[in-house]
């Protein structure tokens, strides 16, 4: 007879490891103005996030998982300032 610990997909330490990783990722995502602004992020990072679901980090340092249409929000003033300083 097998126990739940014998099969990693049905529980045990594999489940605990996965749950811990999810909690740590959730804590790394910062609440705040990302809901009010669109932010500057490298295009390849946005594509990677769309595929993997992992958060991205904007020029201003804000970390979140993109999911809304950035065209509907004004540009983050901090991201814009940093971008313009990089381009000049």
């Amino acid at each position: 007879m097998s126990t739940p610990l014998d099969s990693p997909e049905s529980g045990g330490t594999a489940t605990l490891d996965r749950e811990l990783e999810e909690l740590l990722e959730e804590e790394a995502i910062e609440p705040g103005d990302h809901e009010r602004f669109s932010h500057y992020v490298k295009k390849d990072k946005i594509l990677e996030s769309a595929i993997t679901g992992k958060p991205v980090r904007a020029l201003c340092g804000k970390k979140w998982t993109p999911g809304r249409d950035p065209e509907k929000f004004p540009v983050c003033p901090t991201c814009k300032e940093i971008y313009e300083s990089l381009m000049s």
Side-chain angles (χ1 to χ4, degrees), residues 12-42:
T13 58
T15 300
L16 293 175
D17 289 343
R18 186 180 69 247
E19 290 174 358
L20 177 59
E21 184 177 326
E22 289 171 1
L23 283 173
L24 291 172
E25 286 181 13
E26 286 176 14
E27 288 178 9
I29 299 172
E30 301 169 8
D33 68 2
H34 67 275
E35 297 294 329
R36 297 181 293 161
F37 294 113
S38 59
H39 294 272
Y40 289 171
V41 179
K42 290 183 178 182

Side-chain angles (χ1 to χ4, degrees), residues 38-49 54-66 70 75-76 79-80 83:
S38 59
H39 294 272
Y40 289 171
V41 179
K42 290 183 178 182
K43 286 183 183 181
D44 62 327
K45 295 296 182 183
I46 294 172
L47 178 59
E48 180 182 334
S49 176
K54 291 187 177 182
V56 295
R57 185 170 303 277
L59 286 178
C60 67
K62 187 61 72 176
K63 189 173 184 181
W64 84 108
T65 304
V75 174
C76 167
C79 280
K80 186 175 183 178
Y83 179 77

